[in-house]
Amino acid sequence: QVQLVESGGGSVQAGGSLRLSCAASGDTYSSYYITWFRQTPGKEREWVAVIYPGGRTTYYTDSVKGRFTISQDNAKNTLYLQMNSLKPEDTAMYYCAAQGRGPYYYPPRPASFGAWGQGTQVTVSS
């Protein structure tokens, strides 16, 4: 099964940018349904963005549309989340997750994903 490691989080001011990375090992990234989730203490894990197998189709939760971009580099077997125009409400622990087999639900359901990274913290100050 694929193993995932997130990186790229940090502290930024509102309006700034960060690029999160999710490095995969043990399997080919492009064959998976890959998504980013985020979670704030005391709240449910929230879906952020998804890329479908093959990398041709992407979707985003409404609150990040126009600001975040999900992509993947097959040569590096790495998933990215480019985050622009960051807001304080984007503050959370961000996780990448992979699902190798369907059904692929929309919006993605955390319980469907068998592989998770350990998370990377994003903090946005006003």
Side-chain angles (χ1 to χ4, degrees), residues 7-13 18-20 83 86 91-92 120-125:
S7 62
S11 298
V12 298
Q13 293 182 325
L18 287 172
R19 188 181 73 164
L20 306 185
M83 306 187 296
L86 283 163
T91 295
T120 185
Q121 178 68 37
V122 172
T123 302
V124 185
S125 62

Side-chain angles (χ1 to χ4, degrees), residues 2 10-11 26 29 36 41 59 61 67 78 83 94 104 106 111 123 125:
V2 64
S11 298
Y29 223 94
W36 286 95
Y59 294 101
T61 194
R67 300 189 297 119
T78 299
M83 306 187 296
Y94 284 72
Y104 300 143
Y106 185 82
T123 302
S125 62

Side-chain angles (χ1 to χ4, degrees), residues 11-104:
S11 298
V12 298
Q13 293 182 325
S17 298
L18 287 172
R19 188 181 73 164
L20 306 185
S21 298
C22 177
S25 61
D27 210 338
T28 302
Y29 223 94
S30 61
S31 64
Y32 288 82
Y33 182 66
I34 311 297
T35 188
W36 286 95
F37 290 89
R38 65 187 181 187
Q39 188 167 27
T40 300
K43 295 185 178 181
E44 293 184 343
R45 191 162 295 187
E46 175 190 22
W47 168 68
V48 177
V50 63
I51 187 165
Y52 282 74
R56 298 183 181 90
T57 303
T58 60
Y59 294 101
Y60 304 87
T61 194
D62 287 345
S63 64
V64 308
K65 287 180 180 178
R67 300 189 297 119
F68 290 12
T69 303
I70 188 171
S71 63
Q72 61 187 48
D73 185 333
N74 292 333
K76 297 181 178 180
N77 215 26
T78 299
L79 177 74
Y80 300 100
L81 184 68
Q82 178 66 48
M83 306 187 296
N84 298 325
S85 301
L86 283 163
K87 304 175 181 179
E89 51 263 44
D90 295 318
T91 295
M93 184 73 77
Y94 284 72
Y95 301 88
C96 61
Q99 180 182 353
R101 298 182 297 171
Y104 300 143

